[in-house]
Amino acid sequence: MAKSKIAYFCQSCGFESPKWLGKCPSCQQWNTFVEEVIEKGGSQAPAWKPASTSQQRANKPVEISAITYSEEHRLPTPDKEFNRVLGGGIVPGSLVLIGGEPGIGKSTLMLQLALNMPGQKVLYVSGEESERQIKMRAERLPAPHPEGGVKNSGLRNPEDLQARPSAGGCYILVETSTQNIFKQIEALEPDLLVIDSIQTLHSAHIESTPGSVSQVRECTAELLRFAKETSTPVFLIGHITKDGMIAGPKILEHMVDTVLQFEGDRHHVYRILRTIKNRFGSASELGIYEMMGEGLREVSNPSEILLSHRDTPLSGVTISATLEGMRPMLIETQALVSASPYGTPQRTATGFDTKRMSMLLAVLEKRCGFRLGVKDVFLNITGGIRVEDPAIDLGLAAAIISSHEDIPIPFKTCFAGELGLSGEIRAVNRVEQRIAEAQKLGFNQIFISKYNLPASGQDKKRMDLSRYNIDIKIVSTIEEVFSLLFG
Ligand SMILES: [Zn+2]
């Protein structure tokens, strides 16, 4: 028996090192290295590749004009939100990661898709649940989409299969070994493969436990080869923990073509499916679902989510269009301004820098004449999110004044602007993405800075605000914002 070979992997980014390191040279994190056994055996079954073609096919250089290019043929799904985040349907041979916290509904989303792909043979591989559990869950799912055609003809077990049927269907395979999965794939020849989840898979080529960095990397690499060589789309479900990411998904993001993130609060009914990376389309798409007792329902009119929270506008509450990394996000902020009964006014901010809050208050006092120095001020960003984006300034300032004056901000109004010391509203980055998000979520008006508009006529075409179906209020000073809001 060969001596087992070990390596150390950064659990944060997947960096591999022959020895333990205190600090990761790739992602600069401390104490992230964990030992993993990666002994490679020579006698195991091959990873993806039928034996006959196991020889590496060498590519030859091709003169560029000789390369024929055709528009990608995409496979539309009956789920419009899903098509949207993929950029118009499933691309053959693509490897798509669906990430999200455990229990958020990733399996439900994918099982629903597997059951509703008209005329397609879908193999759903689960290492998480038994066949019986999946069958029970499938029976609770809603009837097929009205335009989606037929629901796949129930669940079948690949072992029952004698001849290869040409018709579609959803097949369930409870298996965690990639070699066994590929054996079944060769027999079944599915049109679409779903893996639930990548963290449960293990390859015989790697000794370490399922879910470890080296296993996740190896299994993904095998599935990637399978997807590319057979042009079969593969969906991988990957779990992400609440406090950031576990090792797997971070490395996975680099390897796959498309990363979708399924987000939401387990205690709330709405779920958001976001595109984080997409080689075949825009990376800022988002789809919205409602989690019903019997599955996920597409939400075609997203404003219903925001309207359902409150039926009367409240003072001190505003919505800001922020960006988290590359992702646009609409965040509710609340302010409470009240007379200070004691000598020293209290200033508390949750999810926002207190120093920056003092600056906002000083600008409002100096430029707009609100006497905030003698008031208690509390700021809260809902959802427990910490916001670094300065574009939230304008929304917060509006919330403070709304609470101070006890006048609610009009419904479906949101803000994106940074506040300067002289009371000017500064430009924010990616303003069009914020406008698009506000429009997508059903807002009526958005306040943005005048300085976000191109100065001369030459750039006018690049930024055409008339294509938005939302009232864009262009402001340059904080005084202007308040006269527009409160008259
Ligand atoms: Zn690292």
Side-chain angles (χ1 to χ4, degrees):
M1 177 124 178
K3 200 166 172 287
S4 56
K5 195 183 152 206
I6 56 166
Y8 295 85
F9 288 89
C10 169
Q11 300 297 301
S12 169
C13 71
F15 186 84
E16 183 181 345
S17 165
K19 59 183 199 315
W20 189 87
L21 298 172
K23 187 184 179 188
C24 173
S26 170
C27 70
Q28 316 298 327
Q29 303 239 38
W30 289 90
N31 295 324
T32 54
F33 279 85
V34 169
E35 179 187 304
E36 291 181 12
V37 183
I38 53 160
E39 182 193 27
K40 280 192 205 288
S43 57
Q44 279 103 346
W48 170 252
K49 241 173 209 253
S52 56
T53 58
S54 64
Q55 207 84 336
Q56 272 286 348
R57 192 179 60 231
N59 286 330
K60 288 197 182 107
V62 181
E63 217 270 303
I64 191 156
S65 60
I67 300 171
T68 52
Y69 169 81
S70 61
E71 195 53 40
E72 280 149 7
H73 164 76
R74 286 175 189 257
L75 185 66
T77 77
D79 179 339
K80 287 201 189 88
E81 297 292 297
F82 203 77
N83 288 340
R84 189 205 317 271
V85 295
L86 287 177
I90 302 170
V91 175
S94 61
L95 187 60
V96 180
L97 171 68
I98 321 280
E101 289 166 26
I104 206 78
K106 300 183 295 296
S107 301
T108 304
L109 179 75
M110 292 319 293
L111 186 59
Q112 209 166 316
L113 181 85
L115 289 168
N116 288 304
M117 285 301 289
Q120 301 289 320
K121 207 190 295 171
V122 184
L123 178 60
Y124 190 100
V125 179
S126 179
E128 305 262 346
E129 289 178 303
S130 69
E131 287 161 18
R132 203 172 144 263
Q133 281 173 307
I134 298 167
K135 173 82 181 174
M136 277 163 61
R137 208 144 49 82
E139 275 172 355
R140 287 199 303 267
L141 290 178
H145 199 277
E147 297 147 46
V150 282
K151 186 166 182 164
N152 260 341
S153 48
L155 303 167
R156 300 184 208 169
N157 192 315
E159 253 102 38
D160 303 339
L161 221 65
Q162 295 305 317
R164 283 173 194 157
S166 53
C170 178
Y171 297 82
I172 301 296
L173 174 64
V174 176
E175 181 58 72
T176 55
S177 150
T178 55
Q179 278 71 25
N180 291 344
I181 291 168
F182 288 129
K183 220 177 282 167
Q184 296 298 333
I185 286 173
E186 274 185 68
L188 183 70
E189 294 186 340
D191 301 310
L192 188 74
L193 177 64
V194 178
I195 302 289
D196 183 9
S197 65
I198 186 68
Q199 276 106 345
T200 60
L201 290 195
H202 65 91
S203 166
H205 292 248
I206 294 273
E207 194 97 322
S208 60
T209 52
S212 63
V213 174
S214 47
Q215 273 294 2
V216 165
R217 198 176 59 178
E218 173 64 21
C219 294
T220 308
E222 289 176 14
L223 288 162
L224 181 68
R225 278 198 295 277
F226 161 71
K228 298 301 165 196
E229 280 166 26
T230 60
S231 286
T232 310
V234 177
F235 288 88
L236 304 176
I237 292 176
H239 300 307
I240 293 170
T241 53
K242 199 143 211 157
D243 48 321
M245 314 247 168
I246 55 160
K250 205 69 214 162
I251 316 163
L252 282 173
E253 285 183 20
H254 298 297
M255 300 176 76
V256 301
D257 297 306
T258 303
V259 180
L260 305 179
Q261 186 154 309
F262 206 40
E263 303 168 355
D265 189 327
R266 216 178 308 178
H267 307 291
H268 288 94
V269 292
Y270 293 104
R271 300 284 185 274
I272 290 182
L273 185 64
R274 277 180 202 281
T275 318
I276 294 185
K277 164 186 173 179
N278 196 355
R279 283 195 186 132
F280 311 113
S282 156
S284 58
E285 289 297 341
L286 127 155
I288 303 177
Y289 295 90
E290 186 178 359
M291 180 61 100
M292 318 280 281
E294 66 281 7
L296 290 157
R297 184 181 73 87
E298 298 164 41
V299 175
S300 43
N301 177 19
S303 61
E304 67 189 73
I305 301 175
L306 289 147
L307 285 175
S308 64
H309 288 308
R310 288 172 280 142
D311 36 17
T312 46
L314 298 170
S315 66
V317 178
T318 56
I319 311 283
S320 297
T322 67
L323 279 181
E324 195 202 50
M326 298 285 278
R327 283 180 281 161
M329 233 165 75
L330 288 172
I331 294 183
E332 187 175 297
T333 53
Q334 299 172 337
L336 179 66
V337 179
S338 63
S340 182
Y342 312 106
T344 323
Q346 283 193 67
R347 300 285 155 88
T348 313
T350 311
F352 189 70
D353 183 31
T354 319
K355 280 191 199 128
R356 191 146 184 95
M357 168 187 178
S358 303
M359 189 280 275
L360 286 184
L361 294 173
V363 171
L364 292 175
E365 180 140 7
K366 183 90 180 164
R367 301 290 158 199
C368 306
F370 293 107
R371 298 203 54 234
L372 295 163
V374 294
K375 303 280 178 139
D376 286 342
V377 181
F378 304 93
L379 281 185
N380 182 27
I381 291 173
T382 50
I385 314 162
R386 180 151 192 96
V387 180
E388 307 279 341
D389 184 3
I392 199 171
D393 284 358
L394 186 54
L396 285 179
I400 292 166
I401 299 308
S402 162
S403 174
H404 182 264
E405 299 289 298
D406 201 19
I407 303 172
I409 304 281
F411 252 152
K412 298 191 193 176
T413 297
C414 68
F415 301 88
E418 185 183 345
L419 196 57
L421 286 180
S422 63
E424 84 275 17
I425 311 297
R426 292 195 188 153
V428 295
N429 62 346
R430 298 175 173 271
V431 73
E432 288 194 84
Q433 223 178 320
R434 300 170 197 263
I435 297 170
E437 180 88 349
Q439 178 177 317
K440 171 91 208 282
L441 292 178
F443 279 78
N444 289 340
Q445 60 176 352
I446 181 165
F447 283 76
I448 64 162
S449 166
K450 182 179 104 179
Y451 305 104
N452 262 123
L453 302 180
S456 58
Q458 71 211 44
D459 273 348
K460 278 260 157 62
K461 269 207 195 80
R462 222 162 47 81
M463 189 167 154
D464 179 18
L465 294 181
S466 64
R467 66 197 169 98
Y468 295 107
N469 195 10
I470 177 171
D471 186 13
I472 301 169
K473 296 261 190 275
I474 293 154
V475 288
S476 54
T477 62
I478 190 79
E479 294 95 322
E480 218 181 314
V481 177
F482 294 131
S483 65
L484 279 169
L485 279 175
F486 308 112

